[in-house]
Amino acid sequence: MAYFLKQSHLKGRTYLSIVESFYSPEKHGSAHRTYKSLASVETWKKKGIDDPIAHFQKEVDELNAAHKNKKGLQISDESPEVYLGYFPYASLLKCMDIKKYVDYLNNSNSF
């Protein structure tokens, strides 16, 4: 997934939008959706931004950098400590061969 700045020329004006590009399994290729629709270049110049294209390109670069940092090497959003309690418990039941007795007591031994 990546972001880019799209410029559309309609009726003598240049309109800007930030577009998100992603892989679509239905199309077996890339697809696009509008992340943020911005006004025309002329409108931004009236509001006081001299070079709106460069200004919003910096915003796109920041979004791409944030996405790259977020992606990293993270496998899951869940902490591995959530499932830590199950494995020592299962290991004790197996090593001591007491699973059948724990089952008789109707204790929960699966999560």
Side-chain angles (χ1 to χ4, degrees):
M1 178 169 54
Y3 298 95
F4 64 92
L5 186 65
K6 181 180 177 183
Q7 300 178 27
S8 303
H9 303 283
L10 299 171
K11 298 182 183 178
R13 298 186 87 169
T14 304
Y15 293 94
L16 300 174
S17 62
I18 297 175
V19 179
E20 178 182 13
S21 177
F22 60 96
Y23 177 78
S24 173
E26 293 87 26
K27 294 168 92 175
H28 299 289
S30 65
H32 309 291
R33 65 177 158 231
T34 302
Y35 173 75
K36 185 190 268 187
S37 182
L38 307 168
S40 66
V41 172
E42 293 80 9
T43 305
W44 288 107
K45 285 184 179 180
K46 287 179 184 175
K47 289 183 179 180
I49 298 176
D50 294 331
D51 190 9
I53 295 173
H55 175 77
F56 290 113
Q57 186 60 46
K58 288 179 187 176
E59 185 177 337
V60 169
D61 293 339
E62 290 172 2
L63 286 170
N64 284 329
H67 178 69
K68 187 175 182 181
N69 291 340
K70 180 183 172 188
K71 190 175 181 182
L73 297 175
Q74 186 175 3
I75 295 172
S76 174
D77 290 337
E78 292 184 15
S79 172
E81 296 167 351
V82 171
Y83 301 108
L84 183 62
Y86 170 75
F87 296 109
Y89 180 68
S91 178
L92 282 174
L93 290 178
K94 185 176 179 182
C95 290
M96 296 173 63
D97 195 27
I98 59 171
K99 183 178 183 326
K100 56 186 172 187
Y101 302 116
V102 173
D103 287 342
Y104 289 137
L105 297 173
N106 287 328
N107 285 343
S108 175
N109 60 359
S110 63
F111 292 95

